[in-house]
């Protein structure tokens, strides 16, 4: 073909990248690998093949990790922990810099190896994945240096078990290992069964960089190997990226273990296109959103929501662009889309697409010639679908998008949030006010404006809802690998007598010693009788009845959650206005100091203790009133020309289960930071000493607190907790009780994967301000949304 003919057709010629670096590296290992444990390679008892998804050829035999291998790796990490922490942040930074430089030195090997093992185009591994890996190690070397000044009062969690997926094998490794090492932790990492090779190559550069033995350990294997790692008793933190289903299993299995947990799970991300958008740019955005990495991206913009007036024109442009996408050998630098990772994944994509057609969706597939060998699937677009259609609701994890229309911004937001996930979203509009208003209303951990799939080590990434909890990257990501000093030093909760709920009809009023009455529940701003019609006797330290409290049940919790959901305007109130309400609560409680101190005396406290607890409760409300408009977000300094806003957002409805210790102060210490950040609360007061809490709602009634922001349901702690934990509208759960109750609360929360914070059976000293108040409470009451806003041309 002549040059003139090439300019007429503009066809791409082949531009192959040599596989030689990877093949040579594999040959040095005789194409067979064990595990990297304690700074040395081990011999595996059995192996499984790692294959090239582009042609099915076996690349290497990979060791299948056993319980014994996991135990050895955890032991090596435990042995190395004290020495690694003692290195200090500055010395750990040197190792992280060395790892970054080693990845740079071997960049071509890593890029080719990743493409062979995963199937993603070499352009993506070379130009996106590997540079981001290097960026993460450099960035977190900086955090290691700054750790003592930027995170005072925090220390390493300990031994971290990390389980990564197959869609970004080396990048996910960097996301997890870099912050863990910077914080002073040691690591046992299990790469995905389909894509272990770059993790094994990384183990080699750990040795080359002189990393102390046992600091990083790599154990390969299937799901059973990962389960063994997650279940090991000496693992202090689990970091998992993968499917929501497996994340749910890990949440349930780790319940009560005391392990710190972060989950980055599935997604079904909306891609909103308003009628004023640059349509050609938005079409390219779709290419990056859903056909990047063959659609095997947890935050892939697979739900296209296009404003009705431009939908037909946009769809036509998109179909024309799809026709130009090229499938083929991922080592060809002119290829856009490679194979999906494995035959089993390819079959899943086919099944879901067939289901979409069977449900009445209109399928358009690009007329791309598919290679005879390999796990290839053409770029696909569904139209004529509904919000409940399978292709709009289920994560396909392949190159398949579905398009729906909307008329108004409100409808766009409603459709976008109509999902159980909440990982990421994209908004296209030339109207910055409209774009930011939409971004703020979307239930997603990351929102890109006029761009998509932007990542950087300086900006946190993570989701809401069933997309998991915790963040990776940025300042917020470092917290996942740190623990507050005081949390690690808490003593075990002393075993107390079980609360005996002497149930009686609610009309029964016990004889008492002063201010006896049957306390009601507080739901939706009103005092209400419990649904059961029963109450229970509240006893003082001598066993004498001092009153009755309502015996709440499942229906009372459901009513309270419904009231809290309806109070959503509290989240959009200004921080200043929320602060004013908290100040008013503190002032009204102060006016009744003697009454509340008297109630605490009646429950068995000494006069001095009762007075001190009441005074500290008032001070604590003032503290969170002051913090309401001081706990700011940040602008992250990412590498691209974006203002990346890290916004502290409330969870929504938080379930708060209060301790028996310090019945007034414990309630205040948990509820006030939650509402100061814009959450609404359904609180279960101490079942043993609930009357201080039921007195407190009289203060709330006179303090301009909107109805439903605080709801109080008294009764059996663990029965009510189970309902809170299982309720899908409860986004977060804080629990204080014994170790068995903590485990049950975490296990029951696996249903919608709500974030939990329990006392792990430990005793908080509520009168110690270092333990009973502070930024840790505000951090636990918020989730960070990162909004990427472009600027410049």
């Amino acid at each position: 073909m002549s040059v003139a003919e090439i300019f007429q057709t503009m066809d791409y010629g082949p531009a192959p990248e040599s596989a030689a670096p990877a093949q040579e590296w594999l040959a040095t290992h005789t194409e067979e690998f064990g595990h990297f444990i304690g700074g040395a390679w081990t011999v595996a008892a059995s192996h499984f093949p790692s294959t090239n998804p582009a042609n099915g050829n076996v690349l290497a035999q990979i060791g299948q990790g056993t319980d014994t291998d996991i135990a050895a790796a955890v032991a090596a990490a435990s042995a190395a922990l004290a020495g690694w922490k003692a290195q200090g942040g500055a010395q750990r930074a040197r190792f992280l810099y060395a790892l970054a430089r080693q990845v740079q030195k071997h960049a071509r090997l890593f890029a080719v190896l990743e493409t062979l093992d995963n199937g993603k185009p070499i352009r993506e591994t070379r130009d996106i994945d590997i540079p981001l890996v290097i960026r993460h190690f450099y960035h977190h070397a900086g955090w290691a240096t700054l750790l003592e000044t930027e995170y005072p009062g925090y220390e390493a969690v300990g031994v971290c078990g990390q389980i990564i997926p197959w869609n970004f094998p080396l990048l996910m490794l960097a996301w997890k290992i870099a912050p863990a090492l910077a914080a002073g932790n040691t690591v046992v990492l299990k790469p995905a069964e389909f894509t272990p090779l770059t993790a094994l190559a990384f183990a080699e550069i750990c040795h080359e960089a002189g990393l102390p033995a046992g600091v990083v350990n790599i154990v390969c294997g299937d799901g059973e190997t990962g389960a063994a790692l997650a279940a090991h008793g000496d693992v202090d933190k689990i970091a998992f990226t993968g499917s929501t289903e497996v994340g749910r299993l890990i949440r349930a299995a780790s319940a009560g273990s005391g392990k710190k947990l972060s989950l980055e799970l599935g997604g079904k991300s909306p891609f909103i296109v308003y009628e004023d958008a640059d349509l050609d740019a938005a079409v390219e955005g779709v290419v990056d959103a859903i056909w990047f990495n063959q659609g095997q991206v947890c935050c892939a913009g697979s739900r296209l929501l296009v404003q009705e007036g431009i939908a037909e024109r946009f769809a036509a442009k998109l179909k024309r662009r799809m026709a130009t996408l090229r499938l083929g050998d991922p080592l060809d630098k002119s290829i856009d889309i490679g194979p999906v990772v494995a035959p089993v994944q390819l079959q899943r994509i086919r099944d879901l697409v067939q289901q979409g057609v069977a449900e009445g969706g209109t399928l358009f597939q690009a007329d791309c010639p598919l290679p005879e060998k390999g796990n290839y699937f053409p770029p696909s677009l569904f139209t004529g679908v509904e919000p409940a259609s399978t292709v709009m609701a289920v994560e396909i994890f392949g190159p398949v998008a579905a398009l729906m229309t909307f008329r108004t911004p409100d409808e766009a937001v409603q459709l976008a949030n109509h999902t159980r996930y909440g990982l990421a979203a994209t908004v296209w509009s030339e109207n910055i006010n409209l774009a930011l208003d939409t971004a703020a209303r979307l239930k997603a951990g990351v929102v890109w404006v006029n761009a998509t799939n932007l990542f950087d080590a300086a900006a946190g990434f993570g989701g809401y809802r069933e997309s998991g909890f915790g963040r990776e990257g940025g300042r917020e990501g470092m917290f996942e690998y740190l623990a507050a000093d005081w949390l690690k030093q808490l003593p075990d909760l002393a075993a107390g007598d079980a609360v005996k709920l002497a149930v009686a009809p609610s009309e029964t009023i016990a004889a008492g010693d002063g201010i006896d009455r049957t306390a009601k529940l507080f739901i939706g701003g009103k005092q209400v009788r419990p649904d059961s019609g029963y109450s229970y006797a509240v006893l003082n330290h001598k066993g004498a009845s001092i009153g009755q409290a309502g015996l709440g049940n499942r229906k009372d919790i459901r009513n309270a959650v419904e009231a809290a959901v309806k109070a959503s305007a509290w989240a959009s109130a200004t921080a200043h206005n929320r602060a004013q309400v908290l100040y008013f609560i503190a002032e009204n409680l102060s006016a009744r100091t003697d009454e509340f101190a008297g109630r605490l005396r009646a429950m068995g406290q000494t006069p001095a203790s009762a007075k001190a607890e009441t005074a500290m409760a008032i001070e604590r409300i003032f503290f969170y009133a002051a913090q309401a408009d001081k706990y700011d977000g940040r602008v992250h300094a990412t590498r691209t020309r974006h203002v990346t806003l890290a916004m502290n957002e409330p969870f929504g409805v938080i379930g708060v289960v209060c301790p028996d210790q310090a019945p007034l102060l414990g309630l205040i210490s948990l509820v006030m930071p939650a509402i100061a950040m814009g959450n609404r609360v359904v609180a279960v007061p101490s079942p043993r000493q609930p009357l201080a809490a039921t007195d407190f709602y009289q203060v709330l009634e006179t303090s301009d607190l909107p109805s439903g922001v605080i709801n109080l349901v008294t009764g059996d702690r663990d029965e009510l907790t189970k309902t809170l934990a299982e309720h899908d509208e409860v986004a977060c759960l804080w629990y204080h009780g014994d170790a068995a109750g903590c485990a049950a609360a975490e296990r029951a929360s696996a249903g919608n994967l709500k974030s939990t914070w329990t006392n792990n059976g430990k005793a908080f000293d509520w009168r110690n301000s270092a333990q009973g108040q502070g930024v840790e409470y505000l951090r636990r009451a918020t989730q960070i949304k990162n909004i990427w806003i472009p600027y410049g041309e």
Side-chain angles (χ1 to χ4, degrees), residues 364-375:
F364 173 83
Q365 291 184 319
D367 187 17
C368 303
L370 301 183
E372 293 182 3
K373 288 185 177 181
N375 310 318

mmCIF file with all atom_site columns, all heavy atoms in Angstrom, residues 364-375:
data_model
loop_
_atom_site.group_PDB
_atom_site.id
_atom_site.type_symbol
_atom_site.label_atom_id
_atom_site.label_alt_id
_atom_site.label_comp_id
_atom_site.label_asym_id
_atom_site.label_entity_id
_atom_site.label_seq_id
_atom_site.pdbx_PDB_ins_code
_atom_site.Cartn_x
_atom_site.Cartn_y
_atom_site.Cartn_z
_atom_site.occupancy
_atom_site.B_iso_or_equiv
_atom_site.pdbx_formal_charge
_atom_site.auth_seq_id
_atom_site.auth_comp_id
_atom_site.auth_asym_id
_atom_site.auth_atom_id
_atom_site.pdbx_PDB_model_num
ATOM 1  N N   . PHE A 1 364 ? -26.494 -3.169  20.260 1.00 0.00 ? 364 PHE A N   1
ATOM 2  C CA  . PHE A 1 364 ? -25.647 -2.777  19.136 1.00 0.00 ? 364 PHE A CA  1
ATOM 3  C C   . PHE A 1 364 ? -24.222 -3.192  19.470 1.00 0.00 ? 364 PHE A C   1
ATOM 4  O O   . PHE A 1 364 ? -23.710 -2.880  20.551 1.00 0.00 ? 364 PHE A O   1
ATOM 5  C CB  . PHE A 1 364 ? -25.697 -1.264  18.914 1.00 0.00 ? 364 PHE A CB  1
ATOM 6  C CG  . PHE A 1 364 ? -24.711 -0.781  17.880 1.00 0.00 ? 364 PHE A CG  1
ATOM 7  C CD1 . PHE A 1 364 ? -25.031 -0.841  16.524 1.00 0.00 ? 364 PHE A CD1 1
ATOM 8  C CD2 . PHE A 1 364 ? -23.467 -0.293  18.251 1.00 0.00 ? 364 PHE A CD2 1
ATOM 9  C CE1 . PHE A 1 364 ? -24.117 -0.408  15.568 1.00 0.00 ? 364 PHE A CE1 1
ATOM 10 C CE2 . PHE A 1 364 ? -22.555 0.142   17.304 1.00 0.00 ? 364 PHE A CE2 1
ATOM 11 C CZ  . PHE A 1 364 ? -22.877 0.087   15.960 1.00 0.00 ? 364 PHE A CZ  1
ATOM 12 N N   . GLN A 1 365 ? -23.595 -3.917  18.534 1.00 0.00 ? 365 GLN A N   1
ATOM 13 C CA  . GLN A 1 365 ? -22.211 -4.316  18.714 1.00 0.00 ? 365 GLN A CA  1
ATOM 14 C C   . GLN A 1 365 ? -21.386 -3.815  17.550 1.00 0.00 ? 365 GLN A C   1
ATOM 15 O O   . GLN A 1 365 ? -21.810 -3.898  16.388 1.00 0.00 ? 365 GLN A O   1
ATOM 16 C CB  . GLN A 1 365 ? -22.082 -5.838  18.837 1.00 0.00 ? 365 GLN A CB  1
ATOM 17 C CG  . GLN A 1 365 ? -22.675 -6.379  20.137 1.00 0.00 ? 365 GLN A CG  1
ATOM 18 C CD  . GLN A 1 365 ? -22.460 -7.870  20.312 1.00 0.00 ? 365 GLN A CD  1
ATOM 19 O OE1 . GLN A 1 365 ? -22.596 -8.639  19.357 1.00 0.00 ? 365 GLN A OE1 1
ATOM 20 N NE2 . GLN A 1 365 ? -22.140 -8.290  21.523 1.00 0.00 ? 365 GLN A NE2 1
ATOM 21 N N   . ALA A 1 366 ? -20.216 -3.295  17.868 1.00 0.00 ? 366 ALA A N   1
ATOM 22 C CA  . ALA A 1 366 ? -19.330 -2.788  16.829 1.00 0.00 ? 366 ALA A CA  1
ATOM 23 C C   . ALA A 1 366 ? -18.925 -3.932  15.902 1.00 0.00 ? 366 ALA A C   1
ATOM 24 O O   . ALA A 1 366 ? -18.711 -5.066  16.350 1.00 0.00 ? 366 ALA A O   1
ATOM 25 C CB  . ALA A 1 366 ? -18.097 -2.161  17.456 1.00 0.00 ? 366 ALA A CB  1
ATOM 26 N N   . ASP A 1 367 ? -18.851 -3.627  14.628 1.00 0.00 ? 367 ASP A N   1
ATOM 27 C CA  . ASP A 1 367 ? -18.489 -4.632  13.628 1.00 0.00 ? 367 ASP A CA  1
ATOM 28 C C   . ASP A 1 367 ? -16.976 -4.796  13.598 1.00 0.00 ? 367 ASP A C   1
ATOM 29 O O   . ASP A 1 367 ? -16.302 -4.430  12.640 1.00 0.00 ? 367 ASP A O   1
ATOM 30 C CB  . ASP A 1 367 ? -19.020 -4.214  12.252 1.00 0.00 ? 367 ASP A CB  1
ATOM 31 C CG  . ASP A 1 367 ? -18.823 -5.315  11.217 1.00 0.00 ? 367 ASP A CG  1
ATOM 32 O OD1 . ASP A 1 367 ? -18.593 -6.465  11.631 1.00 0.00 ? 367 ASP A OD1 1
ATOM 33 O OD2 . ASP A 1 367 ? -18.880 -5.012  10.010 1.00 0.00 ? 367 ASP A OD2 1
ATOM 34 N N   . CYS A 1 368 ? -16.460 -5.336  14.693 1.00 0.00 ? 368 CYS A N   1
ATOM 35 C CA  . CYS A 1 368 ? -15.016 -5.516  14.820 1.00 0.00 ? 368 CYS A CA  1
ATOM 36 C C   . CYS A 1 368 ? -14.667 -6.973  14.541 1.00 0.00 ? 368 CYS A C   1
ATOM 37 O O   . CYS A 1 368 ? -15.263 -7.874  15.146 1.00 0.00 ? 368 CYS A O   1
ATOM 38 C CB  . CYS A 1 368 ? -14.552 -5.167  16.225 1.00 0.00 ? 368 CYS A CB  1
ATOM 39 S SG  . CYS A 1 368 ? -14.948 -3.504  16.773 1.00 0.00 ? 368 CYS A SG  1
ATOM 40 N N   . PRO A 1 369 ? -13.736 -7.228  13.667 1.00 0.00 ? 369 PRO A N   1
ATOM 41 C CA  . PRO A 1 369 ? -13.306 -8.619  13.470 1.00 0.00 ? 369 PRO A CA  1
ATOM 42 C C   . PRO A 1 369 ? -12.627 -9.134  14.732 1.00 0.00 ? 369 PRO A C   1
ATOM 43 O O   . PRO A 1 369 ? -11.743 -8.471  15.296 1.00 0.00 ? 369 PRO A O   1
ATOM 44 C CB  . PRO A 1 369 ? -12.331 -8.514  12.300 1.00 0.00 ? 369 PRO A CB  1
ATOM 45 C CG  . PRO A 1 369 ? -11.868 -7.095  12.296 1.00 0.00 ? 369 PRO A CG  1
ATOM 46 C CD  . PRO A 1 369 ? -13.006 -6.287  12.802 1.00 0.00 ? 369 PRO A CD  1
ATOM 47 N N   . LEU A 1 370 ? -13.069 -10.288 15.195 1.00 0.00 ? 370 LEU A N   1
ATOM 48 C CA  . LEU A 1 370 ? -12.511 -10.866 16.408 1.00 0.00 ? 370 LEU A CA  1
ATOM 49 C C   . LEU A 1 370 ? -11.444 -11.900 16.048 1.00 0.00 ? 370 LEU A C   1
ATOM 50 O O   . LEU A 1 370 ? -11.645 -12.711 15.139 1.00 0.00 ? 370 LEU A O   1
ATOM 51 C CB  . LEU A 1 370 ? -13.600 -11.538 17.244 1.00 0.00 ? 370 LEU A CB  1
ATOM 52 C CG  . LEU A 1 370 ? -14.755 -10.665 17.710 1.00 0.00 ? 370 LEU A CG  1
ATOM 53 C CD1 . LEU A 1 370 ? -15.704 -11.477 18.591 1.00 0.00 ? 370 LEU A CD1 1
ATOM 54 C CD2 . LEU A 1 370 ? -14.257 -9.448  18.469 1.00 0.00 ? 370 LEU A CD2 1
ATOM 55 N N   . PRO A 1 371 ? -10.314 -11.898 16.734 1.00 0.00 ? 371 PRO A N   1
ATOM 56 C CA  . PRO A 1 371 ? -9.300  -12.925 16.496 1.00 0.00 ? 371 PRO A CA  1
ATOM 57 C C   . PRO A 1 371 ? -9.869  -14.323 16.720 1.00 0.00 ? 371 PRO A C   1
ATOM 58 O O   . PRO A 1 371 ? -10.791 -14.516 17.519 1.00 0.00 ? 371 PRO A O   1
ATOM 59 C CB  . PRO A 1 371 ? -8.215  -12.579 17.525 1.00 0.00 ? 371 PRO A CB  1
ATOM 60 C CG  . PRO A 1 371 ? -8.414  -11.131 17.827 1.00 0.00 ? 371 PRO A CG  1
ATOM 61 C CD  . PRO A 1 371 ? -9.887  -10.906 17.731 1.00 0.00 ? 371 PRO A CD  1
ATOM 62 N N   . GLU A 1 372 ? -9.318  -15.283 16.012 1.00 0.00 ? 372 GLU A N   1
ATOM 63 C CA  . GLU A 1 372 ? -9.815  -16.659 16.129 1.00 0.00 ? 372 GLU A CA  1
ATOM 64 C C   . GLU A 1 372 ? -9.526  -17.236 17.506 1.00 0.00 ? 372 GLU A C   1
ATOM 65 O O   . GLU A 1 372 ? -10.292 -18.047 18.028 1.00 0.00 ? 372 GLU A O   1
ATOM 66 C CB  . GLU A 1 372 ? -9.185  -17.524 15.046 1.00 0.00 ? 372 GLU A CB  1
ATOM 67 C CG  . GLU A 1 372 ? -9.618  -17.147 13.629 1.00 0.00 ? 372 GLU A CG  1
ATOM 68 C CD  . GLU A 1 372 ? -9.016  -18.060 12.587 1.00 0.00 ? 372 GLU A CD  1
ATOM 69 O OE1 . GLU A 1 372 ? -8.315  -19.020 12.969 1.00 0.00 ? 372 GLU A OE1 1
ATOM 70 O OE2 . GLU A 1 372 ? -9.241  -17.821 11.386 1.00 0.00 ? 372 GLU A OE2 1
ATOM 71 N N   . LYS A 1 373 ? -8.404  -16.868 18.087 1.00 0.00 ? 373 LYS A N   1
ATOM 72 C CA  . LYS A 1 373 ? -8.043  -17.353 19.406 1.00 0.00 ? 373 LYS A CA  1
ATOM 73 C C   . LYS A 1 373 ? -8.206  -16.229 20.421 1.00 0.00 ? 373 LYS A C   1
ATOM 74 O O   . LYS A 1 373 ? -8.121  -15.052 20.088 1.00 0.00 ? 373 LYS A O   1
ATOM 75 C CB  . LYS A 1 373 ? -6.592  -17.843 19.424 1.00 0.00 ? 373 LYS A CB  1
ATOM 76 C CG  . LYS A 1 373 ? -6.338  -19.147 18.695 1.00 0.00 ? 373 LYS A CG  1
ATOM 77 C CD  . LYS A 1 373 ? -4.891  -19.581 18.897 1.00 0.00 ? 373 LYS A CD  1
ATOM 78 C CE  . LYS A 1 373 ? -4.620  -20.919 18.245 1.00 0.00 ? 373 LYS A CE  1
ATOM 79 N NZ  . LYS A 1 373 ? -3.206  -21.339 18.466 1.00 0.00 ? 373 LYS A NZ  1
ATOM 80 N N   . GLY A 1 374 ? -8.403  -16.623 21.675 1.00 0.00 ? 374 GLY A N   1
ATOM 81 C CA  . GLY A 1 374 ? -8.446  -15.633 22.734 1.00 0.00 ? 374 GLY A CA  1
ATOM 82 C C   . GLY A 1 374 ? -9.841  -15.328 23.222 1.00 0.00 ? 374 GLY A C   1
ATOM 83 O O   . GLY A 1 374 ? -10.847 -15.665 22.591 1.00 0.00 ? 374 GLY A O   1
ATOM 84 N N   . ASN A 1 375 ? -9.903  -14.642 24.366 1.00 0.00 ? 375 ASN A N   1
ATOM 85 C CA  . ASN A 1 375 ? -11.167 -14.370 25.055 1.00 0.00 ? 375 ASN A CA  1
ATOM 86 C C   . ASN A 1 375 ? -11.697 -12.992 24.673 1.00 0.00 ? 375 ASN A C   1
ATOM 87 O O   . ASN A 1 375 ? -11.772 -12.094 25.501 1.00 0.00 ? 375 ASN A O   1
ATOM 88 C CB  . ASN A 1 375 ? -10.953 -14.439 26.570 1.00 0.00 ? 375 ASN A CB  1
ATOM 89 C CG  . ASN A 1 375 ? -10.250 -15.690 27.015 1.00 0.00 ? 375 ASN A CG  1
ATOM 90 O OD1 . ASN A 1 375 ? -10.545 -16.782 26.524 1.00 0.00 ? 375 ASN A OD1 1
ATOM 91 N ND2 . ASN A 1 375 ? -9.309  -15.559 27.936 1.00 0.00 ? 375 ASN A ND2 1
#
